[in-house]
Amino acid sequence: HVEALEILLQGLCGVQRERLRIHELCLKNGPNLGTGSSEVRLLCDLEQTEPSWTVRHVGGAMRGAGADQISVLVRTMVESKVSKNVLRMFYTLGYRLDHELLRVGFSFQFNRGAQITVTVSSVNKMLKLHATDEAVPVTPGIQMVEVTAPASAKNYTEVAAAVQSFCEYLAPLLHLSKPGVSTGVVPTAAAAAASLMSDGGGTPL
């Protein structure tokens, strides 16, 4: 129901989608960088005229009673724009390539009490090192849907509520949940998709 989901998201957003084509490399530290394991991700945006690079570090999920009471995953994330020779720099520091993937799909941006981004993408693996043109789907026919929003230590509960509220708009087609808690497609998704496709998307909400 990807096409129907795109129609629904465009109706909610009011603007066209942004194409997504991200080459992602996961690097892990070597033995000369301390005893603790460290992982960084290098992301190359291939949709840009001049591919741009970002380095991202994702921390562990928030734990405790507060985390259990909210319906979204909260974790720290640090991102920085970097130059195109960043991979060589991390190799020099002692990091090694663990795996790489190519994410292809589209995204929409929303302002609904928080700066919400919805991405719909397929995950592809490379048959040869860095050969993005030869990437093949890891799970053919299956798309990953993510709803994310930046937050601070002071407002993460409000942002979590905004994300949860927004996800309810997608309930005709799918239910979203924390990673590791499977909910999947709702039973009425086929009928909802057929309705969206037949009337060209209906009236934006």
Side-chain angles (χ1 to χ4, degrees):
H1 308 303
V2 173
E3 190 174 354
L5 178 59
E6 181 182 348
I7 290 174
L8 176 59
L9 289 170
Q10 185 171 328
L12 292 169
C13 184
V15 298
Q16 294 294 321
R17 67 179 187 176
E18 296 179 16
R19 294 180 59 184
L20 186 74
R21 187 175 172 83
I22 302 292
H23 181 197
E24 183 173 321
L25 301 96
C26 178
L27 305 177
K28 292 190 176 180
N29 63 322
N32 61 322
L33 292 176
T35 56
S37 61
S38 175
E39 178 181 298
V40 295
R41 294 179 181 271
L42 303 182
L43 293 83
C44 182
D45 186 351
L46 300 177
E47 278 298 318
Q48 302 297 321
T49 305
E50 181 69 25
S52 61
W53 287 84
T54 301
V55 60
R56 173 186 294 172
H57 177 266
V58 180
M62 185 178 74
R63 298 180 179 180
D68 294 337
Q69 293 172 2
I70 57 178
S71 62
V72 301
L73 185 69
V74 178
R75 57 189 176 189
T76 57
M77 182 181 296
V78 180
E79 284 189 349
S80 297
K81 293 292 185 182
V82 289
S83 59
K84 62 183 179 181
N85 61 347
V86 63
L87 183 59
R88 185 188 311 166
M89 184 197 75
F90 273 100
Y91 282 161
T92 303
L93 288 174
Y95 281 80
R96 58 178 176 79
L97 178 65
D98 185 72
H99 64 273
E100 61 180 335
L101 54 89
L102 179 69
R103 292 184 58 190
V104 180
F106 58 88
S107 67
F108 286 92
Q109 305 287 333
F110 300 86
N111 190 340
R112 299 292 180 95
Q115 295 297 321
I116 296 174
T117 300
V118 180
T119 60
V120 182
S121 62
S122 63
V123 179
N124 303 268
K125 61 182 178 180
M126 262 66 81
L127 301 178
K128 300 178 182 177
L129 185 66
H130 308 331
T132 55
D133 292 337
E134 300 178 27
V136 296
V138 175
T139 51
I142 296 179
Q143 302 281 318
M144 179 169 63
V145 181
E146 295 178 289
V147 179
T148 59
S152 67
K154 295 181 179 180
N155 73 342
Y156 75 88
T157 54
E158 291 83 357
V159 172
V163 170
Q164 180 182 4
S165 176
F166 177 83
C167 288
E168 294 175 0
Y169 287 116
L170 310 182
L173 294 174
L174 76 165
H175 286 311
L176 297 176
S177 63
K178 287 183 180 181
V181 182
S182 179
T183 53
V185 178
V186 299
T188 57
S195 176
L196 282 167
M197 299 299 291
S198 64
D199 65 7
T203 304
L205 299 177

